[in-house]
Amino acid sequence: MSESLSTDLNFFQVKKGIISWLFSLDHKRIGLMYLYAIISFFLVGVTLGLLMRLELIAPGETIMKAKTYNQTFTLHGVIMIFLFIIPSIPAIFGNFFLPIMLGTDDVALPKLNLLSWWLYVIGALFALSTLVFGDGPADTGWTFYAPYSVQTNTNVTMSVMAAFILGFSSILTGLNFIVTIHRLRAPGMGWFQMPLFAWSLYATSWIQLLATPIIGITLLMIVAERAFGVGLFDPAIGGDPILYQHLFWIYSHPAVYIMALPAMGIISEIIPTFAKRSIFGYKAIAYSSMAIAFVGYFVWGHHMFTSGMSGSARIIFSVLTFMVAIPTAIKVFNWVATMYKGSIDLQPPMLYAMAFIFQFMIGGLTGLVLAALAADIHLHDTYFVVGHFHYVMFGGTGFAMFGGMHYWFPKIWGRMYNIKIAKFAFALLVLGFNMLYFPMLILGLMGMPRRYYDYLPQFTDLNVLSTVGSWILAIGLITMLVNLINGMRKGAPAGRNPWGSISLEWQTKSPPPLENFDKQPELNEGGPYNYKN
Amino acid sequence: MFSEASNFVKGVDDSLVVILGISIFFLVGITAVMIYFVIRYSRKRNPIATNIEHNSKLEILWTVIPTILVVVMFYYGWAGFTPMRNVPKDAMVVKAHGQMWAWSFEYENGSYSENLIVPLNKPVKLELSSKDVLHSLYIPAYRIKEDVVPGKANYMWFIPQKEGSYDILCAEYCGERHSYMLSKLEVYSQDKYDDWYANELGVSRDHPGLALLKQNACISCHSTDGSAIIGPTFKGLWERTEIVMTDGVEREITVDRDYIRKSLNEPNADITKGFNPGLMISYATTVSDEDMDQIIEYLKTLK
Ligand code: HEM
Ligand SMILES: [Cu+2]
Ligand SMILES: [Cu+2]
C-alpha cells in the first residue's frame, strides 16, 4: 500500500464515512461488511423459519395459506444456503483473518475481493426483489427441481438468477484465497506451519472454484427453459428431470463441504487456544480437509436414492458416501484428543466448540443413516432429513460461526463482551436448538414428509415441541446479539491477546492497524500450535 | 404369522437399529469423554498442559475401527435394499398414477380406484407414472418410497403381511397441495379382495361424470361445493358467465361445450379472473369427447 499511515490508528480510524467502507480494498473492512450483510440475512431467514414453525404448531391453517408456506420455505432455504451459510465463515472470518494469520497485509487480489462483495450484494437484491416484483417469490424449494420449477408461475427466474450471481461471488472469493495462500505466506511459513483455519479455507476454495460453475450453468438452463421453451428438463417438451437432479447435486453436495470445512477450521483454532496445548494430529486434520474436499465430489447421488437410479449406481454412491465419513470422524477424534491433558479454560468460544462437536456429530451420524440404502428409502424427503441438515449446517457450521464471533471479537473491536451473559445465551441456544430439531428426527422416523404445510394428527405433539424450541432459540439469539452489540460499543478494552493464543493474529494490536501488524510478526517455533508448557 | 406390515420392514428396521445403535454409542461415548476431559483437565485442576502431537497406535485404531463400522453399516443398508429391486415374476401389477394432487390406481382390468386395495400375502408391483411433475409414493408403514417421475417408468413392489389400512403420502414436493396428496392402502383377505375386485372395483355409486372428475384428479383443484381451492369451482359452472384473461386482455365468456373443450386442451389460453396460469396440464388426449359429455351431464347437476 502506497500511503504511509501511522500505525497508531486502527483500521476503523484511518478513514471515515460510508464511502470509505463501500469501496474499501481493506480485507478487514470487506470482511466486516460481509458480517453485517450476512447477519442481517440470517435474521431474515430466522424470522421466516420461526413463521414456518408457528404455522406448523397445529394441523390445518394456523397463520398462512399453503402457497405462502411453500414460498416461505423456499425463500428461507435460498437465504440460508446462498446468502448465509455458504459465504458465512470464509467471507467474514476468512477475509478478515486469513491475511493476518498468514502474516501479510491483505489478500492477493484486493479489487477482486471488493468485486465479490458487490456481487454478493447484487445477488442478494435479486433474491429479495422477488418479494415485491413479479408473481411472488418462487415456491419450488431451494432445490428448484424440474419440471415444477419450469411450470410454476411464481418468480423462479429471479431467484435462480440470484443464485447464479451469488455463485460468482463465491468463485471469486475462492480464487482469491487460493492465490493468497500460495503467494503471500509470511517468510518462513511452510505449508505445514500454516494455521489449520487456513488449511480448511484452502480446501474450501478449491471446491468453490471447481464446483460452483456447474450450478451456474444448470440454473441458466432453467432460465432458458422457462423463457424460451428449450426442452432440457421438462419431459413435456422433451427434457429429462433426472438430468437436472444430477447437475444440481454435482454442485450442491460439494457445497455441503463449502459449508462444513471452514467451520472445522475454526474449531481447530479454538480448541488449542483454550486447552493451551498443541493440536493433536495437525497433519491428519490438514490432510483430512483435502480428502473430504476430494471425495465430496463423488457422492452427490446419495440425494437421488429414490429417483429410480439403477441399483448399481445406488450402491456405488452409498459406498462413497460412507467413505467421506472416515476423514470426518478422524477430525472429531483429533479435537477430543486435543483436550486430553490440556489446561482447559471454559470461555464462551470453547463452549461453542463443544456444542459444535456434539451437534455436528448428530448431523454426521444421522448422515450415516441416510447413506445406508435401505434406511434412506424410508427416510428420504422426510423430516429426518430436515433435522439432519439443520444439525450439520446450523448446529455445526452456525454454532462454529458463533464460536468464531466470540473468539475473534476482542481482536476485531478491541473490546470484550460480557462473558456471563454470553454463557447464558449459549445455554439458551443449545437448549432451544436441540428442542427445535431433535423432534424432527423422530418425526422423520415416524414418516412425516418434508415441505408439508399440513400434517396428519399423529405428528402433532412433536411439532408443538419443536415450535416451542424455536422460541427458546430465538430468545437465545437475541440475547447473544444484544450482548455482542453492547460489547462492541462499550465493552472493556481487551488488549492484544486476551485468550493467550500463540497464533499470529494475536500478536498485533486490537483492532489491527490498516496494514495489519504494527511490528513484524514472529512465527512460533515448532509450528502454529506449539504452546510452551 | 408375520409381525411386520410388509416384507421390507425388517430389512429397513434392522439397518436403522444397527446404525442408530452404533451412532448413539459413539455420540454418548465421545460426548462423555469430552465432558470428562473438560472437567479433569480444567485450568484449575491442571494448570500446566502437556503437548501431545500424535500417537500412531491410537490414530491407526481410530481410522481402522470407523472403516470397519461403515462397512458393516453399508452392508445392512445394502442387504435391506437389494430385495426392493427384485420383483417376483408372479407379482400382481397395479399402475399408480400421480398427478397434482391425487393418486389413482389402475388395475389389470382397466378400472380405477382412489385407494390402493390389495390382497394379503400376494406380491404387488406398482408401476409408477406421473402426468405432470415429480411426486413420490411413500408408504411409511411399509418403509418404502420411490419417486414418480414424468416420462420415466419407475416401479416399486411389496408383499402386504397384515390386514389393515395404511397411509399413502406424497414425499416429493409437487406444488401447492403437496401435503394433501394422500391416499390409503387397504389390505384385504384374499376372499374379500376377490369380492371387491369382481363387484366393487370401477363400479361406483358416483355419477359417471363425477367418477371421471375423480379419476383425472380434476376435483383436487376444482371443488364441487362452491369453495375455491386452486381453480374455479365446478358448482354452477355450466352456462356461467365469467371474465377471463386471454393473452392479457379481459373478455367475457359463457361456459359452454366449446369453452370446456378448449379449457381441457389449452388450459392456459383463458384464465378466469382471480386465478393463476401454469397450474393445469392439458387433457387433450386423456379426456375424450364422450368422457366430456358425461362430465357436462354431471356439471349440469351442480346448481
Ligand atoms: C430459527 C432458526 C430456524 C428455523 C426455525 C428453521 C425452520 C425450518 C423448517 C421448519 C424447515 C422445513 C420446512 C419444510 O420442510 O416444510 C426448514 C427448512 C430449511 N432450513 Fe431452516 N430453520 C432455521 C434455521 C436455518 C439455518 C440456520 C439454515 C442454514 C444454515 C437453514 C436451512 C434450511 C434449508 C436449506 C431448508 C430447506 C428448504 C427447502 O425445503 O427448500 N435453516 N427450516
Ligand atoms: Cu450430499
Ligand atoms: Cu407431492
Side-chain angles (χ1 to χ4, degrees), chain A residues 253 256 302-303:
Chain A
H253 189 82
V256 173
H302 62 216
H303 296 271

Side-chain angles (χ1 to χ4, degrees), chain A residues 70 139 276-278 281 306-308 314 340-344 374 377-378 380-381 451-452 454 530-531 533, chain B residues 41 43 46-47 49-53 74 77-78 138 145-147 152 154 167 170-173 178-180:
Chain A
N70 297 343
D139 66 340
K276 284 285 165 298
R277 52 153 286 186
S278 60
T306 65
S307 72
R314 297 189 215 207
Y340 175 68
K341 292 205 171 167
S343 174
I344 299 170
I377 298 294
H378 175 43
H380 178 76
D381 268 333
R451 296 172 173 173
Y452 257 32
D454 200 353
N530 194 14
Y531 282 82
N533 294 320
Chain B
Y41 301 110
R43 184 124 331 150
N46 195 34
T50 313
N51 281 347
I52 304 168
E53 311 272 301
F74 168 78
W78 173 81
Y138 180 28
K145 74 164 66 69
E146 188 79 6
D147 290 0
K152 194 165 187 292
N154 281 352
D167 293 318
C170 176
E172 180 65 64
Y173 177 68
H178 165 55
S179 66
Y180 296 101

Side-chain angles (χ1 to χ4, degrees), chain B residues 51-290:
Chain B
N51 281 347
I52 304 168
E53 311 272 301
H54 61 104
N55 176 328
S56 302
K57 262 192 215 143
L58 198 60
E59 293 185 74
I60 291 173
L61 204 65
W62 74 36
T63 310
V64 172
I65 292 179
T67 308
I68 295 171
L69 289 177
V70 296
V71 170
V72 172
M73 293 180 186
F74 168 78
Y75 170 78
Y76 275 91
W78 173 81
F81 165 74
T82 307
M84 294 182 185
R85 296 285 91 195
N86 297 325
V87 191
K89 292 236 160 42
D90 60 341
M92 159 185 147
V93 175
V94 178
K95 291 186 184 149
H97 301 288
Q99 187 181 356
M100 288 172 173
W101 290 277
W103 298 105
S104 65
F105 299 95
E106 185 184 348
Y107 285 76
E108 271 156 340
N109 65 3
S111 298
Y112 286 83
S113 165
E114 284 170 60
N115 292 334
L116 175 58
I117 294 173
V118 293
L120 187 64
N121 291 332
K122 266 266 188 68
V124 177
K125 178 183 184 191
L126 299 181
E127 292 181 352
L128 308 172
S129 77
S130 163
K131 292 194 181 120
D132 40 43
V133 298
L134 300 171
H135 305 279
S136 188
L137 197 147
Y138 180 28
I139 312 173
Y142 279 19
R143 309 286 191 269
I144 48 173
K145 74 164 66 69
E146 188 79 6
D147 290 0
V148 182
V149 181
K152 194 165 187 292
N154 281 352
Y155 64 89
M156 62 204 291
W157 81 280
F158 55 81
I159 304 175
Q161 297 183 154
K162 250 187 181 171
E163 283 178 51
S165 168
Y166 306 93
D167 293 318
I168 295 179
L169 311 169
C170 176
E172 180 65 64
Y173 177 68
C174 55
E176 189 160 335
R177 292 180 64 77
H178 165 55
S179 66
Y180 296 101
M181 191 164 160
L182 310 171
S183 176
K184 285 276 178 201
L185 166 69
E186 308 274 357
V187 182
Y188 288 174
S189 67
Q190 187 69 48
D191 290 347
K192 191 171 168 201
Y193 174 80
D194 290 339
D195 184 48
W196 173 83
Y197 191 82
N199 302 318
E200 280 183 64
L201 172 61
V203 185
S204 96
R205 282 162 298 271
D206 295 332
H207 186 291
L210 177 59
L212 282 162
L213 292 179
K214 283 186 179 171
Q215 180 187 319
N216 287 298
C218 311
I219 52 166
S220 60
C221 296
H222 303 276
S223 76
T224 52
D225 63 2
S227 62
I229 312 176
I230 300 286
T233 181
F234 283 151
K235 187 170 183 185
L237 180 69
W238 181 249
E239 291 180 334
R240 184 160 66 198
T241 320
E242 290 188 327
I243 310 284
V244 299
M245 300 284 289
T246 310
D247 294 328
V249 185
E250 282 186 19
R251 66 188 184 102
E252 201 180 85
I253 54 96
T254 301
V255 178
D256 54 14
R257 204 170 183 283
D258 289 343
Y259 179 75
I260 291 182
R261 185 73 253 175
K262 184 157 177 242
S263 297
L264 286 169
N265 291 359
E266 298 171 59
N268 293 313
D270 307 302
I271 297 294
T272 312
K273 220 177 151 199
F275 293 89
N276 288 316
L279 290 162
M280 180 171 158
I281 56 164
S282 165
Y283 288 85
T285 51
T286 29
V287 175
S288 65
D289 282 340
E290 294 78 65

